Amino acid sequence: MNRAFGDPLTIRYQKGKSMFIRVTTTAALLAATTTLAGAADLPSPHTPLIPIFQPSTAPFNWSGLYLGAQIGYEFGNDQRNGVATATGAPLFSNTSSPKSVSFGGDMGINYVVPSFAIFGGHAFMGVEGDVAGTTSGKAYALTPLVTGNYREQIQGSGRGRLGVAYDRILAYATAGAAFGSLRNIYTSRGLTDYFAKGGVGYTVGGGVEYALATRWSVRLEYRYTDFGTSTQRLAATTAGATTVRHKDDDSRVMAGVTYHFSGFNALRPVVARY
């Protein structure tokens, strides 16, 4: 056999070995490339954390201070009974029902008791004060000879509140002391009797609030207020012969908006690396 061209077995072995080396090298390069590509997607310990904000699912926090504004409609009741000053004998009895719009504000503080679960929510307690200006008034005929005019210029209260917080919904009852600026003017044949007093009484009611985004809520409330009775002797218009006893109360429906200094953050951070 001519060995100038080499042994056929040796040639086949060398070709096979060369092919194996090329296949092995290609597989190694492909594996290295895949590993590097996957490593590029992994977070680096030196990469800064970047917060992404998403809507918060935390419950609304009703605890804390708040400040609000309100508008309401008032249904008043002024009941009058006249008696003879000297004997106390009844002379007349009449009633007027003044109605008006009121505008005002309120301020208070709430505390939700997280450990006190009730009716599927959590109990809360609080105190609140409010004041409102009104246009409540009514002219009336006290007697055939005497005309009266009733006005309520301002009304306010200091109250406690108890209720239940259901996440964004707050249902409550309220009661406390009420005050008002009440005025009665009587005229007859050019003569006038003027009475102004600060009425003090009580107020009771209840309402519901709904929390909007972030720190705001809206409310709807009803309250009954009783200012008790007052006695007025008509010295000018009846020469002191008649004394009038007034009983004043009213019902009010109010809608309001409130800003809470606690509330909750509408967005919560979710940390991500890039």
Side-chain angles (χ1 to χ4, degrees):
M1 180 180 292
N2 188 355
R3 296 188 178 274
F5 299 98
D7 187 349
L9 294 177
T10 303
I11 293 173
R12 284 197 297 269
Y13 170 75
Q14 290 177 345
K15 288 183 178 180
K17 182 178 180 181
S18 176
M19 179 64 69
F20 174 78
I21 292 174
R22 286 198 298 271
V23 171
T24 304
T25 303
T26 302
L29 290 175
L30 181 61
T33 302
T34 303
T35 302
L36 290 174
D41 293 331
L42 296 177
S44 168
H46 304 292
T47 301
L49 300 179
I50 301 176
I52 301 175
F53 290 94
Q54 296 180 355
S56 176
T57 58
F60 190 85
N61 180 15
W62 291 98
S63 294
L65 292 168
Y66 61 87
L67 184 68
Q70 59 182 251
I71 182 173
Y73 193 76
E74 178 180 325
F75 304 85
N77 183 62
D78 178 33
Q79 181 178 349
R80 301 168 295 271
N81 294 288
V83 300
T85 302
T87 64
L91 299 176
F92 57 84
S93 179
N94 51 52
T95 302
S96 61
S97 301
K99 299 176 177 63
S100 72
V101 176
S102 64
F103 301 89
D106 55 78
M107 182 173 64
I109 185 171
N110 291 327
Y111 175 67
V112 176
V113 186
S115 60
F116 191 172
I118 180 173
F119 302 128
H122 291 90
F124 93 95
M125 62 187 71
V127 292
E128 179 178 287
D130 72 288
V131 62
T134 76
T135 59
S136 178
K138 189 80 172 180
Y140 55 88
L142 187 67
T143 70
L145 298 177
V146 180
T147 299
N149 192 295
Y150 168 82
R151 286 286 183 271
E152 179 188 349
Q153 298 170 306
I154 193 170
Q155 186 179 131
S157 70
R159 296 167 286 107
R161 300 203 308 169
L162 291 174
V164 184
Y166 303 95
D167 190 8
R168 288 175 176 262
I169 299 176
L170 189 74
Y172 62 91
T174 183
F179 64 88
S181 174
L182 309 178
R183 184 187 71 181
N184 284 281
I185 302 175
Y186 307 95
T187 58
S188 177
R189 296 162 294 182
L191 301 174
T192 301
D193 285 301
Y194 178 88
F195 299 92
K197 71 159 192 166
V200 178
Y202 68 90
T203 183
V204 295
V208 61
E209 287 191 59
Y210 180 76
L212 302 175
T214 317
R215 300 177 182 271
W216 294 92
S217 69
V218 291
R219 73 161 67 178
L220 185 66
E221 180 178 292
Y222 165 81
R223 288 213 316 267
Y224 168 78
T225 302
D226 191 327
F227 290 111
T229 60
S230 61
T231 301
Q232 300 165 353
R233 180 173 176 265
L234 308 186
T237 54
T238 68
T242 303
T243 297
V244 182
R245 295 192 180 103
H246 284 265
K247 183 182 187 305
D248 299 303
D249 58 58
D250 66 60
S251 295
R252 283 199 297 166
V253 177
M254 295 164 289
V257 59
T258 303
Y259 178 80
H260 298 263
F261 294 94
S262 53
F264 69 91
N265 292 322
L267 298 176
R268 61 183 177 85
V270 177
V271 177
R273 290 182 185 270
Y274 290 95

